Amino acid sequence: MYKPIIGLEVHVELKTKQKMFCGCPTDNFGKEPNTLTCPTCLGLPGALPFTNQEAIKMCAKIGLALNCQLAEKSLFERKNYFYPDLPKGYQISQYRWPLCTNGFLMVADKTDEKRKIRINRVHQEEDTGKLLHPGDQTLIDYNRSGVPLVEVVTEPDFTDTEQVKNYAKLLAQIFRELEVSNAEMEKGDMRLEANVSVSPPGSEGLPNYRVELKNINSFTFMASAITYEIERQIKVLESGEKITQHTRGWDEVKKETFVQREKEEANDYRYFPEPDLPELRIKNLESRIKQEIPELPNMREERLVQDYGLPSSSSATLSASKELAILFEDSVLLGKSKGITPLEISNLLLNVSVKNRPKDSLATISTIEQSKSGIIDDNNQLEVLAGEVITENRRLVESYKSGKVTVIMALVGMVMRKTAGKADPLKTKTILEKLLQS
Ligand code: ADP
Ligand code: MG
Ligand code: ZN
């Protein structure tokens, strides 16, 4: 069997007030093009950059949250290339002296087994402007030029698509809870690039090529692209051909990847140290920054298992949302004196849809108490069940609507059956009538 080998590069826009190397605001969503610019982020000759400390702290925070080492000394470098959205002709980035290196994150794979994904580096750079293509023109908006961007690069440790998806979602959640970014893919706050290769049966080490999947702006498309790419590469290698290093995009209509360009090598960029910015030495801030890191979803997941004896799958779902985890723990506290167990609470919270989720711990506990006391008379709960019965029994509903109102009792019976006889029949009837009228 061929073994898939996948590495991920994630770019995230920081939500600092100011840009990375000038004082322009970063909040450019929906703003008039080219109004949030200055000589520095327009790359005008003679304009000098200065370092945004808030951004550097956020970058370090991300690195430390991902178990990285903070560098004693870190440097910016110029990554030289020409493109109209990059007015200076180089991007200020980091290459040989990144701020954070050698971290890891535990991520569930497709068998739900947690595996270590090594983080190669977390470094600071700046975003480019945006090209717009109305009609046959090309316009450039430099509002985004110079917005702080952090890049998180993994080692090629992923072995399946599910794991890539879990990682990307977890990472987005971590960014949000660290309050360093909104990490909204649709708004372009977070961008993914995957590097994919496949290793033939019996071979050791990494393949000598990688295909980079770029410009794919949703988790789902990225997953489809990786799955497609693994299959494609296996076919090519099976037919005895070689694969060269290159970049591909995703065609959502044809559901296939396509060649974008041959890959440039790092030395094509002629990286060299940025002479206009001082080196960063922030090791002395490490413990202070660490203190600002709140409990993150992965830590929470472990703690809920330890503190409440929850099954790990339940804990994972509860922990993925901070609000849900808080509701769970508040309810546990309240339920304690009433003899309601954490497991009962977690079962309730995980079995209702988001829409019907109790508003607070009081509602959670009273729902559980009611269902234990035997009679279900909670309007929300009955409405959900009645709604189900209505969609499941189209024929009865038709005949009710055509005037045969006595069939309502048959529908009440269905709700009773769903609740093993615990639904309050009168209330159920009223609710069904109301729903059938609307
Ligand atoms: P570049 O900027 O040129 O893409 P990076 O070092 O930033 O280079 O990223 C390289 C990415 O490719 C990393 O995520 C790494 O894990 C991944 N990678 C390296 N070798 C392979 C391979 N053989 N197969 C799949 N991914 C790989
Ligand atoms: Mg890359
Ligand atoms: Zn500016």
Side-chain angles (χ1 to χ4, degrees):
M1 287 302 280
Y2 284 82
K3 205 175 84 192
I5 297 176
I6 309 158
L8 224 65
E9 296 164 75
V10 173
H11 283 96
V12 64
E13 257 187 24
L14 300 182
K15 54 174 183 186
T16 51
K17 284 188 205 65
Q18 299 184 342
K19 290 188 181 179
M20 190 60 224
F21 303 112
C22 62
C24 294
T26 55
D27 179 22
N28 55 36
F29 192 75
K31 295 277 156 58
E32 181 76 10
N34 297 309
T35 52
L36 310 179
T37 56
C38 73
T40 299
C41 57
L42 286 174
L44 301 185
L48 288 172
F50 56 90
T51 307
N52 182 337
Q53 291 192 24
E54 193 192 2
I56 295 299
K57 272 200 206 143
M58 287 183 178
C59 181
K61 215 170 175 181
I62 294 171
L64 293 171
L66 301 178
N67 307 294
C68 287
Q69 247 75 61
L70 199 55
E72 289 286 346
K73 175 185 112 173
S74 174
L75 250 65
F76 285 110
E77 295 199 71
R78 292 185 180 182
K79 178 180 183 178
N80 299 282
Y81 67 96
F82 170 77
Y83 209 66
D85 62 11
L86 186 72
K88 298 192 297 295
Y90 58 85
Q91 178 193 32
I92 303 180
S93 180
Q94 298 200 294
Y95 183 54
R96 283 168 287 183
W97 300 275
L99 193 61
C100 316
T101 52
N102 279 326
F104 69 88
L105 198 57
M106 301 302 290
V107 184
D109 66 8
K110 65 178 173 201
T111 66
D112 249 348
E113 184 100 17
K114 286 263 158 73
R115 293 188 188 281
K116 192 179 238 180
I117 299 298
R118 290 168 300 156
I119 308 287
N120 171 291
R121 52 159 61 213
V122 175
H123 76 230
Q124 183 70 61
E125 54 186 43
E126 57 173 339
D127 213 341
T128 61
K130 237 186 223 169
L131 295 183
L132 307 157
H133 306 279
D136 57 0
Q137 302 177 76
T138 293
L139 302 176
I140 314 175
D141 177 8
Y142 287 114
N143 282 351
R144 198 182 65 178
S145 170
V147 168
L149 204 59
V150 163
E151 179 168 1
V152 180
V153 183
T154 76
E155 295 295 342
D157 288 347
F158 297 94
T159 50
D160 68 68
T161 312
E162 203 56 37
Q163 198 182 18
V164 171
K165 236 176 160 173
N166 290 339
Y167 169 82
K169 285 192 178 155
L170 177 57
L171 204 57
Q173 187 67 18
I174 290 176
F175 293 147
R176 286 191 281 265
E177 291 191 19
L178 288 175
E179 294 179 17
V180 298
S181 175
N182 298 329
E184 289 181 75
M185 292 271 283
E186 325 76 61
K187 286 195 180 166
D189 296 341
M190 184 168 146
R191 292 161 240 159
L192 310 180
E193 283 157 36
N195 289 271
V196 181
S197 64
V198 294
S199 169
S203 77
E204 295 271 312
L206 289 178
N208 60 359
Y209 75 93
R210 62 186 157 98
V211 172
E212 185 161 12
L213 302 176
K214 258 197 160 141
N215 306 319
I216 303 176
N217 52 10
S218 90
F219 290 131
T220 317
F221 293 172
M222 182 50 89
S224 314
I226 294 172
T227 306
Y228 176 90
E229 191 55 25
I230 291 168
E231 294 299 311
R232 188 192 70 83
Q233 291 184 14
I234 292 174
K235 271 190 217 143
V236 173
L237 295 181
E238 285 280 77
S239 74
E241 282 170 59
K242 283 212 170 106
I243 302 173
T244 53
Q245 191 142 318
H246 66 286
T247 302
R248 299 175 85 90
W250 174 245
D251 185 330
E252 176 53 21
V253 178
K254 292 190 187 154
K255 308 269 182 224
E256 57 187 40
T257 61
F258 61 92
V259 179
Q260 282 192 322
R261 59 181 153 86
E262 294 306 310
K263 177 76 191 159
E264 56 287 274
E265 297 287 336
N267 55 16
D268 293 337
Y269 291 122
R270 296 282 179 257
Y271 279 98
F272 67 87
E274 166 60 64
D276 292 336
L277 289 167
E279 53 184 50
L280 304 165
R281 290 179 184 270
I282 62 160
K283 193 77 177 165
N284 58 332
L285 297 179
E286 180 165 341
S287 58
R288 220 191 300 162
I289 295 173
K290 270 189 177 159
Q291 276 170 18
E292 287 174 25
I293 297 178
E295 182 182 55
L296 297 170
N298 41 338
M299 312 175 190
R300 204 152 54 223
E301 188 179 327
E302 273 178 37
R303 189 175 56 79
L304 294 190
V305 171
Q306 264 170 17
D307 290 3
Y308 306 106
L310 295 183
S312 54
S313 59
S314 306
S315 176
T317 317
L318 287 175
S319 305
S321 149
K322 194 173 175 178
E323 293 72 43
L324 187 55
I326 290 174
L327 176 58
F328 168 76
E329 293 206 84
D330 285 352
S331 306
V332 169
L333 214 60
L334 191 64
K336 212 167 181 181
S337 58
K338 308 192 173 196
I340 294 172
T341 65
L343 200 63
E344 287 173 294
I345 293 167
S346 129
N347 284 343
L348 173 81
L349 293 179
L350 296 177
N351 286 321
V352 296
S353 62
V354 178
K355 202 177 87 221
N356 293 304
R357 188 178 289 161
K359 301 278 168 291
D360 53 22
S361 55
L362 213 61
T364 311
I365 296 304
S366 75
T367 309
I368 295 176
E369 280 183 318
Q370 266 165 27
S371 71
K372 281 176 123 181
S373 79
I375 293 174
I376 300 175
D377 67 351
D378 177 70
N379 279 332
N380 284 337
Q381 214 178 332
L382 290 177
E383 230 174 88
V384 173
L385 294 166
E388 283 174 17
V389 164
I390 287 173
T391 44
E392 287 161 12
N393 296 278
R394 279 284 146 221
R395 211 148 327 119
L396 285 178
V397 170
E398 299 279 289
S399 67
Y400 175 88
K401 286 194 170 162
S402 65
K404 228 179 143 206
V405 291
T406 49
V407 300
I408 193 90
M409 288 323 285
L411 295 170
V412 172
M414 306 276 186
V415 176
M416 298 299 280
R417 203 171 312 155
K418 273 183 185 277
T419 57
K422 284 182 177 174
D424 177 328
L426 259 178
K427 259 199 175 172
T428 305
K429 183 163 170 265
T430 317
I431 286 172
L432 276 166
E433 282 167 349
K434 195 185 82 195
L435 289 182
L436 288 168
Q437 245 133 61
S438 56

PDB file of all heavy atoms in Angstrom, residues 8-9 11 79 151 153 193-195 210 212-214 247 263-264 269, ligand 2:
ATOM      1  N   LEU A   8       1.304  20.697   6.294  1.00  0.00           N
ATOM      2  CA  LEU A   8       0.404  21.835   6.134  1.00  0.00           C
ATOM      3  C   LEU A   8       1.082  23.158   6.450  1.00  0.00           C
ATOM      4  O   LEU A   8       1.844  23.260   7.410  1.00  0.00           O
ATOM      5  CB  LEU A   8      -0.800  21.651   7.058  1.00  0.00           C
ATOM      6  CG  LEU A   8      -2.149  21.972   6.443  1.00  0.00           C
ATOM      7  CD1 LEU A   8      -2.462  21.006   5.320  1.00  0.00           C
ATOM      8  CD2 LEU A   8      -3.234  21.924   7.498  1.00  0.00           C
ATOM      9  N   GLU A   9       0.808  24.162   5.623  1.00  0.00           N
ATOM     10  CA  GLU A   9       1.225  25.533   5.923  1.00  0.00           C
ATOM     11  C   GLU A   9      -0.048  26.348   6.108  1.00  0.00           C
ATOM     12  O   GLU A   9      -0.897  26.359   5.230  1.00  0.00           O
ATOM     13  CB  GLU A   9       2.013  26.117   4.761  1.00  0.00           C
ATOM     14  CG  GLU A   9       3.335  25.389   4.492  1.00  0.00           C
ATOM     15  CD  GLU A   9       3.858  25.747   3.119  1.00  0.00           C
ATOM     16  OE1 GLU A   9       4.375  26.853   2.944  1.00  0.00           O
ATOM     17  OE2 GLU A   9       3.726  24.917   2.198  1.00  0.00           O
ATOM     18  N   HIS A  11      -1.609  30.146   6.988  1.00  0.00           N
ATOM     19  CA  HIS A  11      -1.392  31.576   7.191  1.00  0.00           C
ATOM     20  C   HIS A  11      -2.580  32.142   7.931  1.00  0.00           C
ATOM     21  O   HIS A  11      -3.719  31.870   7.573  1.00  0.00           O
ATOM     22  CB  HIS A  11      -1.276  32.297   5.845  1.00  0.00           C
ATOM     23  CG  HIS A  11       0.053  32.097   5.197  1.00  0.00           C
ATOM     24  ND1 HIS A  11       0.285  31.137   4.252  1.00  0.00           N
ATOM     25  CD2 HIS A  11       1.224  32.751   5.375  1.00  0.00           C
ATOM     26  CE1 HIS A  11       1.546  31.200   3.868  1.00  0.00           C
ATOM     27  NE2 HIS A  11       2.147  32.176   4.535  1.00  0.00           N
ATOM     28  N   LYS A  79      12.073  38.527   1.420  1.00  0.00           N
ATOM     29  CA  LYS A  79      11.813  37.454   0.458  1.00  0.00           C
ATOM     30  C   LYS A  79      11.493  38.150  -0.860  1.00  0.00           C
ATOM     31  O   LYS A  79      10.441  38.763  -1.012  1.00  0.00           O
ATOM     32  CB  LYS A  79      10.631  36.627   0.947  1.00  0.00           C
ATOM     33  CG  LYS A  79      10.197  35.501   0.041  1.00  0.00           C
ATOM     34  CD  LYS A  79       8.994  34.760   0.649  1.00  0.00           C
ATOM     35  CE  LYS A  79       8.603  33.580  -0.229  1.00  0.00           C
ATOM     36  NZ  LYS A  79       7.477  32.832   0.356  1.00  0.00           N
ATOM     37  N   GLU A 151       2.667  32.580   9.950  1.00  0.00           N
ATOM     38  CA  GLU A 151       2.640  31.305   9.236  1.00  0.00           C
ATOM     39  C   GLU A 151       3.003  30.177  10.188  1.00  0.00           C
ATOM     40  O   GLU A 151       3.991  30.255  10.913  1.00  0.00           O
ATOM     41  CB  GLU A 151       3.611  31.328   8.044  1.00  0.00           C
ATOM     42  CG  GLU A 151       3.611  30.001   7.297  1.00  0.00           C
ATOM     43  CD  GLU A 151       4.323  30.020   5.955  1.00  0.00           C
ATOM     44  OE1 GLU A 151       4.862  31.069   5.560  1.00  0.00           O
ATOM     45  OE2 GLU A 151       4.342  28.952   5.306  1.00  0.00           O
ATOM     46  N   VAL A 153       3.890  26.232  10.159  1.00  0.00           N
ATOM     47  CA  VAL A 153       4.287  25.166   9.235  1.00  0.00           C
ATOM     48  C   VAL A 153       4.480  23.853   9.994  1.00  0.00           C
ATOM     49  O   VAL A 153       5.227  23.801  10.973  1.00  0.00           O
ATOM     50  CB  VAL A 153       5.617  25.525   8.530  1.00  0.00           C
ATOM     51  CG1 VAL A 153       6.001  24.455   7.502  1.00  0.00           C
ATOM     52  CG2 VAL A 153       5.530  26.886   7.859  1.00  0.00           C
ATOM     53  N   GLU A 193      -2.401  25.786   2.895  1.00  0.00           N
ATOM     54  CA  GLU A 193      -1.707  25.163   1.779  1.00  0.00           C
ATOM     55  C   GLU A 193      -1.287  23.782   2.238  1.00  0.00           C
ATOM     56  O   GLU A 193      -0.758  23.641   3.343  1.00  0.00           O
ATOM     57  CB  GLU A 193      -0.432  25.936   1.421  1.00  0.00           C
ATOM     58  CG  GLU A 193      -0.704  27.196   0.647  1.00  0.00           C
ATOM     59  CD  GLU A 193       0.436  28.200   0.795  1.00  0.00           C
ATOM     60  OE1 GLU A 193       1.604  27.783   0.859  1.00  0.00           O
ATOM     61  OE2 GLU A 193       0.128  29.393   0.879  1.00  0.00           O
ATOM     62  N   ALA A 194      -1.557  22.781   1.406  1.00  0.00           N
ATOM     63  CA  ALA A 194      -1.161  21.431   1.787  1.00  0.00           C
ATOM     64  C   ALA A 194      -0.089  20.940   0.838  1.00  0.00           C
ATOM     65  O   ALA A 194      -0.128  21.228  -0.357  1.00  0.00           O
ATOM     66  CB  ALA A 194      -2.368  20.506   1.740  1.00  0.00           C
ATOM     67  N   ASN A 195       0.898  20.241   1.363  1.00  0.00           N
ATOM     68  CA  ASN A 195       1.916  19.599   0.537  1.00  0.00           C
ATOM     69  C   ASN A 195       1.672  18.103   0.607  1.00  0.00           C
ATOM     70  O   ASN A 195       1.557  17.544   1.698  1.00  0.00           O
ATOM     71  CB  ASN A 195       3.311  19.917   1.069  1.00  0.00           C
ATOM     72  CG  ASN A 195       3.666  21.373   0.803  1.00  0.00           C
ATOM     73  OD1 ASN A 195       4.215  21.696  -0.237  1.00  0.00           O
ATOM     74  ND2 ASN A 195       3.307  22.249   1.729  1.00  0.00           N
ATOM     75  N   ARG A 210       7.269  16.967  -3.703  1.00  0.00           N
ATOM     76  CA  ARG A 210       5.988  17.246  -3.045  1.00  0.00           C
ATOM     77  C   ARG A 210       5.157  18.127  -3.935  1.00  0.00           C
ATOM     78  O   ARG A 210       5.685  18.963  -4.662  1.00  0.00           O
ATOM     79  CB  ARG A 210       6.193  17.877  -1.671  1.00  0.00           C
ATOM     80  CG  ARG A 210       6.888  19.214  -1.682  1.00  0.00           C
ATOM     81  CD  ARG A 210       7.174  19.683  -0.246  1.00  0.00           C
ATOM     82  NE  ARG A 210       8.259  20.637  -0.192  1.00  0.00           N
ATOM     83  CZ  ARG A 210       8.086  21.970  -0.138  1.00  0.00           C
ATOM     84  NH1 ARG A 210       6.873  22.470  -0.150  1.00  0.00           N
ATOM     85  NH2 ARG A 210       9.124  22.767  -0.091  1.00  0.00           N
ATOM     86  N   GLU A 212       2.317  20.963  -4.072  1.00  0.00           N
ATOM     87  CA  GLU A 212       1.730  21.941  -3.179  1.00  0.00           C
ATOM     88  C   GLU A 212       0.333  22.323  -3.672  1.00  0.00           C
ATOM     89  O   GLU A 212       0.166  22.709  -4.821  1.00  0.00           O
ATOM     90  CB  GLU A 212       2.645  23.167  -3.142  1.00  0.00           C
ATOM     91  CG  GLU A 212       2.201  24.206  -2.148  1.00  0.00           C
ATOM     92  CD  GLU A 212       3.326  25.170  -1.773  1.00  0.00           C
ATOM     93  OE1 GLU A 212       4.373  25.164  -2.441  1.00  0.00           O
ATOM     94  OE2 GLU A 212       3.144  25.916  -0.790  1.00  0.00           O
ATOM     95  N   LEU A 213      -0.663  22.177  -2.803  1.00  0.00           N
ATOM     96  CA  LEU A 213      -2.037  22.569  -3.153  1.00  0.00           C
ATOM     97  C   LEU A 213      -2.290  23.944  -2.575  1.00  0.00           C
ATOM     98  O   LEU A 213      -2.204  24.142  -1.373  1.00  0.00           O
ATOM     99  CB  LEU A 213      -3.037  21.554  -2.596  1.00  0.00           C
ATOM    100  CG  LEU A 213      -2.847  20.111  -3.065  1.00  0.00           C
ATOM    101  CD1 LEU A 213      -3.833  19.187  -2.362  1.00  0.00           C
ATOM    102  CD2 LEU A 213      -3.019  20.016  -4.577  1.00  0.00           C
ATOM    103  N   LYS A 214      -2.600  24.897  -3.463  1.00  0.00           N
ATOM    104  CA  LYS A 214      -2.665  26.311  -3.056  1.00  0.00           C
ATOM    105  C   LYS A 214      -3.978  26.968  -3.421  1.00  0.00           C
ATOM    106  O   LYS A 214      -4.702  26.471  -4.276  1.00  0.00           O
ATOM    107  CB  LYS A 214      -1.551  27.087  -3.789  1.00  0.00           C
ATOM    108  CG  LYS A 214      -0.361  27.368  -2.921  1.00  0.00           C
ATOM    109  CD  LYS A 214       0.502  28.459  -3.522  1.00  0.00           C
ATOM    110  CE  LYS A 214       1.366  29.038  -2.424  1.00  0.00           C
ATOM    111  NZ  LYS A 214       2.693  29.347  -2.829  1.00  0.00           N
ATOM    112  N   THR A 247       3.033  23.160  -8.165  1.00  0.00           N
ATOM    113  CA  THR A 247       1.890  23.688  -7.422  1.00  0.00           C
ATOM    114  C   THR A 247       0.605  23.426  -8.182  1.00  0.00           C
ATOM    115  O   THR A 247       0.554  23.592  -9.395  1.00  0.00           O
ATOM    116  CB  THR A 247       2.065  25.211  -7.228  1.00  0.00           C
ATOM    117  OG1 THR A 247       3.286  25.435  -6.529  1.00  0.00           O
ATOM    118  CG2 THR A 247       0.928  25.800  -6.411  1.00  0.00           C
ATOM    119  N   LYS A 263       7.375  24.695  -9.305  1.00  0.00           N
ATOM    120  CA  LYS A 263       7.757  25.207  -7.991  1.00  0.00           C
ATOM    121  C   LYS A 263       9.073  25.976  -8.028  1.00  0.00           C
ATOM    122  O   LYS A 263      10.045  25.527  -8.608  1.00  0.00           O
ATOM    123  CB  LYS A 263       7.883  24.004  -7.054  1.00  0.00           C
ATOM    124  CG  LYS A 263       8.345  24.301  -5.661  1.00  0.00           C
ATOM    125  CD  LYS A 263       7.243  24.904  -4.821  1.00  0.00           C
ATOM    126  CE  LYS A 263       7.841  25.442  -3.522  1.00  0.00           C
ATOM    127  NZ  LYS A 263       6.955  26.439  -2.911  1.00  0.00           N
ATOM    128  N   GLU A 264       9.076  27.157  -7.360  1.00  0.00           N
ATOM    129  CA  GLU A 264      10.352  27.838  -7.202  1.00  0.00           C
ATOM    130  C   GLU A 264      11.033  27.284  -5.942  1.00  0.00           C
ATOM    131  O   GLU A 264      10.389  26.779  -5.045  1.00  0.00           O
ATOM    132  CB  GLU A 264      10.196  29.358  -7.124  1.00  0.00           C
ATOM    133  CG  GLU A 264       9.282  29.926  -6.044  1.00  0.00           C
ATOM    134  CD  GLU A 264       7.807  29.709  -6.338  1.00  0.00           C
ATOM    135  OE1 GLU A 264       7.179  30.509  -7.026  1.00  0.00           O
ATOM    136  OE2 GLU A 264       7.291  28.697  -5.816  1.00  0.00           O
ATOM    137  N   TYR A 269      14.350  33.071  -4.078  1.00  0.00           N
ATOM    138  CA  TYR A 269      13.845  34.277  -3.412  1.00  0.00           C
ATOM    139  C   TYR A 269      14.964  35.186  -2.909  1.00  0.00           C
ATOM    140  O   TYR A 269      14.709  36.299  -2.474  1.00  0.00           O
ATOM    141  CB  TYR A 269      12.955  33.898  -2.220  1.00  0.00           C
ATOM    142  CG  TYR A 269      11.650  33.269  -2.613  1.00  0.00           C
ATOM    143  CD1 TYR A 269      11.303  32.002  -2.160  1.00  0.00           C
ATOM    144  CD2 TYR A 269      10.738  33.952  -3.407  1.00  0.00           C
ATOM    145  CE1 TYR A 269      10.086  31.430  -2.494  1.00  0.00           C
ATOM    146  CE2 TYR A 269       9.518  33.386  -3.752  1.00  0.00           C
ATOM    147  CZ  TYR A 269       9.198  32.122  -3.286  1.00  0.00           C
ATOM    148  OH  TYR A 269       7.997  31.568  -3.615  1.00  0.00           O
TER     149      TYR A 269
HETATM  150 MG    MG B   2       4.657  26.379   0.715  1.00  0.00          MG
END
